[in-house]
Amino acid sequence: MSTTTTATSVLKSPYQRSVADYWNQERNPVNLLLGAVDGIYHHHYGIGEPDWSVLEGPQETRERRTIEELHRLETAQAGFLLDQLGPIPADGRLLDAGCGRGGTSLMANLRFGCRVDGISISEEQVRFANEQAAQRGVADSVGFSFRNMLSTGFESGTFDGIWNNESTMYVDLHDLFAEHSRLLKRGGRYVTITGCYNDVYGLPSRAVSEINSHYICDIHPRSAYFKAMAEHDLVPIATVDLTEATIPYWRMRERSPHLATGIEKAFLEAYTGGSFHYLLIAADRV
């Protein structure tokens, strides 16, 4: 099958093609420099209190210290997500939906020892992630493929666990949870960490709209997650508000002249103003 035919079969709309183009071309230092610390490349944000002392000391090594600390916070976020999957058997199978450059998938395989599949509509991300798996010697148990998370092509009941780590804002939630429900075994666990806007505000705030524009995404209201899950046999078992836990990450990132992307102010305004929440939701397939 040619690359063109494959892309046509995976990318179902002009919007999906624009998102794929964005991530195929993305070379953001805040992703690449942080990932180079230990070869675990994330495409999400961090949680926890930073070690602010990294901003002190010799100027010539301050940026390196900041990179390492932000990476630690992003890895802590991925670890917290994996905590919510519960016990996964070594012969189990996991799906990282919207896998980015594969960092959380590699962490999951290291923790559980099971098969992990990562999928993305960015062919460049898939290529990069497979290279990382090969370099770590785990390509036989961690694989990444060019697939659409709304129509994956995997068989029903394949997975013990599925997660979205900051990728749900690119898709329709009803379509997404219908596919996840189909793919999960009965009793399987779904986990997402996501930014969502506060329904109390009615419509997205100016800051949330700025985030949407920056990332070519469509942030959902908080209530939409629970409504869509209920319609597709996903019953929430835990909800954790991580908003306060992520604000320090953004404050540190804002202070880095080489890592800040210009969107930090919007995130901080949205989080501190109450129009935006950073949530973890874990749900079981019933």
Side-chain angles (χ1 to χ4, degrees):
M1 182 178 290
S2 70
T3 301
T4 301
T5 303
T6 302
T8 301
S9 65
V10 172
L11 305 175
K12 305 294 187 181
S13 69
Y15 171 70
Q16 290 181 359
R17 287 191 288 275
S18 69
V19 171
D21 287 344
Y22 176 89
W23 290 111
N24 282 333
Q25 297 171 30
E26 183 268 339
R27 302 291 186 275
N28 198 321
V30 78
N31 294 322
L32 294 174
L33 292 179
L34 271 61
V37 170
D38 59 5
I40 297 292
Y41 289 81
H42 298 303
H43 279 276
H44 57 257
Y45 311 126
I47 58 172
E49 187 63 26
D51 177 2
W52 293 102
S53 70
V54 302
L55 300 178
E56 303 168 359
Q59 178 69 37
E60 60 269 20
T61 59
R62 186 172 301 167
E63 192 69 5
R64 177 182 59 77
R65 296 194 305 273
T66 303
I67 286 170
E68 291 174 351
E69 184 62 6
L70 289 173
H71 183 65
R72 183 184 71 81
L73 298 176
E74 292 189 357
T75 299
Q77 189 262 34
F80 185 70
L81 184 154
L82 295 177
D83 290 343
Q84 314 310 311
L85 289 171
I88 301 294
D91 62 352
R93 191 172 179 185
L94 297 172
L95 176 65
D96 184 352
C99 62
R101 289 186 170 96
T104 310
S105 293
L106 293 170
M107 289 176 61
N109 173 256
L110 183 63
R111 177 182 295 206
F112 301 114
C114 67
R115 169 75 192 182
V116 183
D117 292 278
I119 60 174
S120 173
I121 60 172
S122 165
E123 291 173 279
E124 174 58 25
Q125 287 184 344
V126 168
R127 181 200 64 77
F128 188 100
N130 277 320
E131 281 188 359
Q132 296 305 304
Q135 289 174 15
R136 287 177 170 265
V138 295
D140 59 336
S141 57
V142 186
F144 301 92
S145 54
F146 177 51
R147 297 175 188 251
N148 191 318
M149 71 174 80
L150 302 182
S151 179
T152 63
F154 291 118
E155 293 184 7
S156 298
T158 296
F159 296 99
D160 297 88
I162 299 174
W163 70 85
N164 287 98
N165 199 350
E166 294 184 17
S167 55
T168 54
M169 62 286 297
Y170 289 101
V171 295
D172 179 271
L173 292 180
H174 290 276
D175 293 344
L176 178 68
F177 294 152
E179 180 69 351
H180 285 349
S181 182
R182 183 185 72 80
L183 293 174
L184 279 169
K185 298 175 182 177
R186 187 175 179 84
R189 176 69 53 83
Y190 170 69
V191 182
T192 184
I193 292 182
T194 186
C196 51
Y197 75 81
N198 188 347
D199 297 76
V200 174
Y201 281 63
L203 293 173
S205 66
R206 183 200 60 79
V208 171
S209 297
E210 186 177 342
I211 296 167
N212 276 334
S213 177
H214 184 87
Y215 290 109
I216 323 175
C217 63
D218 187 12
I219 292 166
H220 303 291
R222 182 179 55 200
S223 62
Y225 285 87
F226 301 99
K227 290 178 180 177
M229 285 181 181
E231 293 182 7
H232 297 290
D233 300 321
L234 294 169
V235 178
I237 190 170
T239 303
V240 182
D241 184 354
L242 296 172
T243 306
E244 291 300 320
T246 197
I247 288 173
Y249 165 88
W250 287 99
R251 294 200 189 284
M252 175 169 278
R253 184 167 137 176
E254 185 182 38
R255 295 176 63 176
S256 171
H258 297 102
L259 299 177
T261 63
I263 198 60
E264 290 79 11
K265 181 179 178 181
F267 271 92
L268 286 168
E269 179 183 330
Y271 282 140
T272 59
S275 67
F276 195 42
H277 297 296
Y278 196 50
L279 289 189
L280 177 142
I281 307 171
D284 287 342
R285 167 68 165 90
V286 298

